[in-house]
Amino acid sequence: MSTIAVIDYGMGNLHSVAKALEHVQPGVEVLVTSDPKQVANADRVLLPGVGAIRDCMAEIYKQGVDKEVAEAIRSGRPFLGICVGYQALMQSSEENGGVDCLGEFEGTVNYFGDHHKDEQGERLKVPHMGWNEVMQSGEHPLWQGIESGSRFYFVHSYYVKAAQRQQVAATCSYGVDFDVALGHDNVFAVQFHPEKSHTAGLQLLKNFLNWDGKP
């Protein structure tokens, strides 16, 4: 039986993620766990996250999740980061006065701003909350069966700008163009919440559960 470890470090919407995974592939064993051995032995690993990045990173280091993430990525097993679990893979974030992150991807996490506006000068609400179109930057196994321009659900005040453009798997526009998905080798990470994104999001999770970790 295939197993997926959803890392529990106290900062993720774990119940909805686990239920979505079980829904798209009945029979999969979803382990919501803080046990390093279970993470190490799982076939796939998912890093969730909600809340302030400073609190997330503090718990990640306190509980040794940084080591679990590094081992999972180096092992070649399929790895998925979601929301703050995506931001945590970057080098640093502007949030909370500046926070160092895990550095698995080169790039930064930036604030939309207190006076964020669209191209016509109209005020945009921050956080960016709700549905938005995700434009794929190229082919990837996790996009199978999902059309470019499909809408996904977002809740965030900070956005990723990747340094290595070849790693960008999708972009989105909300006053600025930003990178909502990155893919490199066995790692894929997204800013949006696939577990809350209905058909397209569930298809992405299904693709992840059937992915061998190869681009």
Side-chain angles (χ1 to χ4, degrees):
M1 178 184 294
S2 178
T3 59
I4 175 169
V6 178
I7 301 178
D8 180 6
Y9 59 103
M11 302 297 294
N13 190 5
L14 306 178
H15 178 74
S16 61
V17 172
K19 288 299 182 183
L21 291 166
E22 292 169 349
H23 174 75
V24 298
Q25 190 164 309
V28 67
E29 185 177 6
V30 181
L31 305 172
V32 177
T33 181
S34 57
D35 184 344
K37 291 183 179 179
Q38 287 190 327
V39 176
N41 291 328
D43 298 308
R44 291 171 176 77
V45 176
L46 190 152
L47 181 69
V50 296
I53 191 69
R54 178 175 57 194
D55 296 336
C56 286
M57 293 309 303
E59 289 301 314
I60 282 173
Y61 287 121
K62 178 182 177 181
Q63 299 185 35
V65 171
D66 57 318
K67 298 180 179 63
E68 296 174 25
V69 168
E71 188 281 329
I73 290 174
R74 305 297 177 266
S75 73
R77 288 176 291 155
F79 185 99
L80 177 64
I82 293 177
C83 195
V84 177
Y86 164 47
Q87 295 180 3
L89 298 176
M90 306 308 295
Q91 291 174 303
S92 63
S93 173
E94 292 182 347
E95 191 173 3
N96 303 127
V99 176
D100 289 334
C101 300
L102 296 174
E104 293 293 343
F105 287 105
E106 292 182 35
T108 58
V109 185
N110 308 310
Y111 184 40
F112 278 119
D114 293 324
H115 305 287
H116 194 48
K117 297 180 180 180
D118 64 15
E119 294 178 353
Q120 287 73 43
E122 295 294 324
R123 185 79 174 266
L124 294 172
K125 292 182 179 180
V126 176
H128 171 216
M129 182 180 296
W131 298 85
N132 207 338
E133 293 181 349
V134 169
M135 308 306 297
Q136 298 169 20
S137 301
E139 294 184 359
H140 191 280
L142 266 67
W143 293 137
Q144 184 176 351
I146 303 172
E147 292 186 4
S148 184
S150 294
R151 295 169 69 84
F152 289 83
Y153 187 79
F154 292 82
V155 183
H156 61 124
S157 298
Y158 293 79
Y159 65 92
V160 165
K161 203 65 178 178
Q164 302 296 328
R165 305 309 299 166
Q166 72 276 13
Q167 295 178 344
V168 176
T171 60
C172 188
S173 181
Y174 190 69
V176 295
D177 293 333
F178 59 99
D179 304 324
V180 297
L182 299 180
H184 179 64
D185 294 337
N186 59 309
V187 183
F188 200 81
V190 297
Q191 179 63 67
F192 51 80
H193 287 272
E195 77 280 6
K196 297 180 180 180
S197 297
H198 297 324
T199 303
L202 293 178
Q203 181 64 48
L204 187 143
L205 292 177
K206 183 177 181 179
N207 291 341
F208 175 64
L209 290 174
N210 290 283
W211 184 35
D212 61 5
K214 297 178 181 178

